Amino acid sequence: MFSGAHITLYSRDAEADRAFLRDVAGFPYVDAGRGWLVFRLPPAEVAVHPAPEEGSTRPEVYLTCEDLTRTLTALEDRGAEISRAITEERWGLLAAVRLPSGTEIPLYEPRHPTAFDLPQ
């Protein structure tokens, strides 16, 4: 029924953030025209959590990795700003990287079963 998911990040400096995703994160991309880069992401999954009593119900985007420490080291070596050091949560390890626009992207190493390898 569905062939994929398209995630849109709004940015105060889209050009710099696109360059980061292309050059630092190393995501393959296509140019959809006029410099609008669309990046291929790793496999995705979606989870539904209860909303907080008060606060945002906007979607959140996390990039997952098999070895968070190694990923952060590689990103830092490429000039990324690590904006949140690794913390251990009940569901895995969590950190974050800051895009040039200031947007923070959380990264995590799951310590729970994932849906990545389920058949389509």
Side-chain angles (χ1 to χ4, degrees), residues 51-56:
E53 291 292 323
E54 294 183 25
S56 175

Side-chain angles (χ1 to χ4, degrees), residues 12-75:
R12 299 201 188 288
D13 190 347
E15 189 172 315
D17 287 352
R18 288 181 194 126
F20 178 92
L21 293 174
R22 181 190 63 220
D23 302 334
V24 178
F27 290 134
Y29 64 92
V30 297
D31 188 327
R34 299 179 303 153
W36 289 85
L37 304 184
V38 179
F39 297 91
R40 188 186 80 210
L41 294 177
E45 59 185 8
V46 62
V48 180
H49 294 254
E53 291 292 323
E54 294 183 25
S56 175
T57 58
R58 289 182 286 170
E60 296 179 339
V61 175
Y62 291 77
L63 295 176
T64 60
C65 48
E66 294 177 4
D67 184 331
L68 184 56
T69 301
R70 189 176 69 217
T71 298
L72 290 174
T73 299
L75 288 170

